[in-house]
Amino acid sequence: MNNNVIDRSKDITILELLDRVLNKGVILTGDIVISVADIDLVYLGVKLMLSSVETMEQLKSGRSIST
Amino acid sequence: MEMMIYSIVSVKKNTKKLDALLAGIKGLSNTDLYVVTLDEIAAVVSDVNRADLIVDKSSAIEYAGVIETLAQQFTLLPVRYGSVMESTDTTKKMLERNYNEIQCNLLKVENKVEYGLKVFCDSEKLKTELKDKSETEPAIELEQGIEKSIYSKYLYKKLKEHRFEESLLAHIDAIIQNITTHLAQLNSIHRFKKMVTETTIIDVVILLKKNEKEGLIQAVKELQIQYTGLKFVLTGQWPPYNFVDITIK
């Protein structure tokens, strides 16, 4: 199957998804926009970072992260 | 009432299809989704009470889910999570002010999807391999006149380290060059960052026509066969988060 090459690991997918939805896309600026709960978003970012480090460690040790 | 804005969609003056789709999905906290339309574009929004809004991981995933569902049927620009507009009126004015730029961005991503490719290496293993290789190369000759002293030993060690670092970077650059050449052949737009971490050689985002997915998969497969010591992780397809070059005022 060709699609085997696409990673379907839940951890990687969520990490990639959150990276995009929190950091990318159209950015609204100015007085028409109110940023939502900055502290929580930063906290979420830290959790993401930790998750990312764990993933890297898994890869480094050669363990499979695919489901 | 304030509103959460999820994405800006190309509707080409026909919102019926979009309305029908929105009737079947819900926004954050199970709210109804609706559109604020201006000519050929529409902002997909839901009412939000900031006091009741819980900002957490599952909420962000839910938000992304709405964008994902919309992207399956429409060309759109995803809006970053956490963007709240004051009212329908301000949303419409925002669309008006940025109409041309939004249309340009929509045109750029029309019928295209995003993929992510990360290439990981075992950096220690890679260093060991290169060190072994460097052992077989001619030894560094220090300039004449430098006495064989503790200083020359130090200098020799530093030169050797420098030479090794150079060969490591050259090796990684050659891999990156090969990967980007493969991607360039796909008629895609791609952007990359190299050596994001010690184990991530390259982090690429790729914008590709929807019907060219198989070509990308084949290219990644070939690269994986070529570099058995590396791990290629391809993700997608994603809405074009990384190819929206617009900051809305």
Side-chain angles (χ1 to χ4, degrees):
Chain A
M1 284 287 284
N2 266 349
N3 289 352
N4 286 348
V5 76
I6 293 185
D7 201 286
R8 303 198 188 284
S9 154
K10 196 179 164 195
D11 287 346
I12 289 254
T13 306
I14 289 176
L15 190 64
E16 289 274 305
L17 183 147
L18 289 175
D19 177 43
R20 281 172 169 80
V21 81
L22 295 179
N23 302 315
K24 308 287 162 51
V26 177
I27 298 166
L28 303 176
T29 61
D31 54 3
I32 52 166
V33 178
I34 304 129
S35 165
V36 181
D38 280 344
I39 293 170
D40 282 344
L41 285 177
V42 171
Y43 176 61
L44 195 62
V46 172
K47 283 208 295 192
L48 262 181
M49 189 96 75
L50 291 173
S51 172
S52 174
V53 170
E54 283 166 13
T55 309
M56 298 307 162
E57 288 304 318
Q58 276 187 333
L59 285 162
K60 204 170 165 182
S61 64
R63 277 179 283 155
S64 171
I65 53 168
S66 298
T67 52
Chain B
M1 175 66 98
E2 288 172 344
M3 53 182 62
M4 177 74 79
I5 176 164
Y6 298 79
S7 58
I8 300 169
V9 181
S10 172
V11 286
K12 303 195 187 293
K13 293 183 179 173
N14 180 8
T15 58
K16 281 184 185 171
K17 186 182 165 191
L18 182 56
D19 289 337
L21 178 63
L22 294 182
I25 52 177
K26 289 286 182 185
L28 292 184
S29 309
N30 211 29
T31 49
D32 288 333
L33 291 163
Y34 59 98
V35 291
V36 178
T37 310
L38 182 76
D39 202 12
E40 295 193 351
I41 58 176
V44 175
V45 299
S46 69
D47 290 337
V48 63
N49 184 347
R50 277 191 299 144
D52 298 337
L53 191 64
I54 300 164
V55 181
D56 60 9
K57 187 172 156 182
S58 59
S59 164
I61 292 171
E62 201 181 335
Y63 180 91
V66 172
I67 297 174
E68 176 82 40
T69 307
L70 293 169
Q72 284 169 10
Q73 294 192 33
F74 291 92
T75 297
L76 59 75
L77 306 179
V79 176
R80 190 172 64 169
Y81 175 74
S83 301
V84 177
M85 304 294 291
E86 282 175 352
S87 64
T88 305
D89 193 39
T90 53
T91 306
K92 204 152 202 163
K93 280 179 181 163
M94 177 275 289
L95 294 177
E96 241 169 41
R97 271 199 307 275
N98 299 279
Y99 190 82
N100 289 338
E101 214 175 341
I102 290 170
Q103 280 287 43
C104 280
N105 273 266
L106 283 167
L107 199 63
K108 192 174 71 178
V109 299
E110 191 166 22
N111 293 321
K112 290 176 180 162
V113 285
E114 179 180 315
Y115 289 89
L117 176 64
K118 285 186 168 65
V119 182
F120 300 102
C121 71
D122 182 335
S123 57
E124 292 308 315
K125 195 177 165 193
L126 186 64
K127 282 177 186 171
T128 309
E129 280 171 7
L130 284 175
K131 265 188 186 136
D132 291 347
K133 196 180 160 194
S134 71
E135 297 297 326
T136 62
E137 290 173 356
I140 298 167
E141 284 184 23
L142 293 178
E143 280 181 36
Q144 282 184 349
I146 297 178
E147 292 174 23
K148 283 189 177 177
S149 62
I150 187 166
Y151 304 110
S152 64
K153 277 181 187 168
Y154 173 78
L155 193 60
Y156 182 82
K157 184 173 167 277
K158 282 290 164 195
L159 274 170
K160 204 173 170 186
E161 280 172 9
H162 176 67
R163 196 157 137 179
F164 175 70
E165 284 296 322
E166 273 189 332
S167 69
L168 180 65
L169 287 174
H171 181 69
I172 287 167
D173 280 343
I175 295 171
I176 290 173
Q177 176 71 37
N178 192 15
I179 291 170
T180 52
T181 304
H182 265 73
L183 295 177
Q185 287 166 357
L186 293 171
N187 193 24
S188 64
I189 302 172
H190 63 267
R191 294 173 184 169
F192 68 89
K193 291 180 198 162
K194 79 175 195 183
M195 293 307 289
V196 186
T197 67
E198 202 180 334
T199 52
T200 314
I201 289 183
I202 185 170
D203 182 357
V204 202
V205 285
I206 305 146
L207 187 70
L208 193 68
K209 280 186 181 166
K210 282 180 181 173
N211 59 3
E212 290 178 353
K213 173 184 167 188
E214 294 304 320
L216 174 64
I217 290 171
Q218 191 55 36
V220 174
K221 271 184 159 183
E222 285 168 15
L223 286 164
Q224 181 67 84
I225 290 167
Q226 192 177 347
Y227 298 107
T228 50
L230 304 178
K231 183 171 174 67
F232 287 72
V233 176
L234 181 65
T235 62
Q237 54 194 53
W238 303 101
Y241 284 97
N242 281 284
F243 294 91
V244 178
D245 298 313
I246 181 170
T247 299
I248 283 181
K249 299 170 278 293

